[in-house]
């Protein structure tokens, strides 16, 4: 009988495993229902070799699309973003439309929920409203080669 008993340590580790599983599932449910976590939307596809000649990436930059809406069209490439300085107005809904000219990059503005993977061949799309004026960093958070840690740009909310 005694050899079938579960050792106290095993019970503790089993309990810990179940607890962590429930915590992570709970965090995922919370993030996706309350905090706007989502899979990247199907923003479209583009030939990465032709990205600079394919609309909308043939005209990079920020464009007004409505009374208080803007598109920010950006290409990520090793190891910069084009344009490297993005000016957007505070309080406007800014849709970032992003693709890569080479490898997988990241597109993250810390302190906001702007956080995308930039996958060559795919177009990432994400809308964000900056409520406060100021300068933000735009960072690459996917390792993309020796220059990865220098890959950044500036977002100026004015
Ligand atoms: Cu681009 Cu890391």
């Amino acid at each position: 009988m005694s050899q079938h008993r579960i050792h106290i340590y095993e019970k503790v580790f089993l309990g810990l495993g179940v607890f962590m599983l429930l915590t992570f599932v709970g965090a995922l449910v919370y993030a996706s229902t309350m905090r706007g976590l989502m899979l990247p939307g199907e923003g479209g596809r583009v030939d990465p070799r032709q990205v600079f000649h394919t609309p909308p990436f043939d005209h990079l930059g920020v464009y007004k699309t409505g009374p208080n809406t803007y598109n920010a069209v950006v290409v990520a490439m090793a190891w910069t973003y084009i344009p490297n300085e993005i000016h957007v107005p505070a309080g406007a809904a800014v849709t970032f439309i992003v693709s890569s000219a080479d490898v997988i990059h990241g597109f993250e503005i810390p302190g906001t929920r702007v956080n995308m993977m930039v996958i060559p061949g795919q177009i990432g799309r994400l809308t964000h409203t900056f409520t406060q004026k100021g300068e933000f960093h735009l960072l690459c958070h996917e390792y993309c080669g020796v220059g990865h840690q220098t890959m950044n740009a500036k977002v100026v909310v004015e």
Side-chain angles (χ1 to χ4, degrees), residues 38 41 43 56-57 61-63 65 69-75 81-83 85-89 92-99 107-109 112-118 123-130 136-138 153-157:
M38 57 182 176
F57 302 103
V62 178
Y63 302 96
T65 54
T69 56
Y70 292 80
N71 281 353
V73 183
V74 181
V75 167
Y81 297 92
I82 307 172
E85 194 169 314
I86 300 163
H87 290 253
V88 296
V94 180
T95 299
F96 292 96
I97 302 171
V98 188
S99 195
F107 192 96
E108 180 182 15
I109 304 175
T112 73
R113 50 179 292 275
V114 177
N115 187 334
M116 285 190 273
M117 272 176 89
V118 186
I123 301 173
R125 219 178 268 269
L126 197 155
T127 302
H128 182 70
T129 301
F130 295 90
F136 291 80
H137 289 295
L138 166 60
K154 201 198 301 187
V155 178
V156 183
V157 182

Side-chain angles (χ1 to χ4, degrees), residues 11 27 43 50 110 122 137 154:
K11 278 188 192 165
Q50 295 297 320
Q122 297 197 14
H137 289 295
K154 201 198 301 187

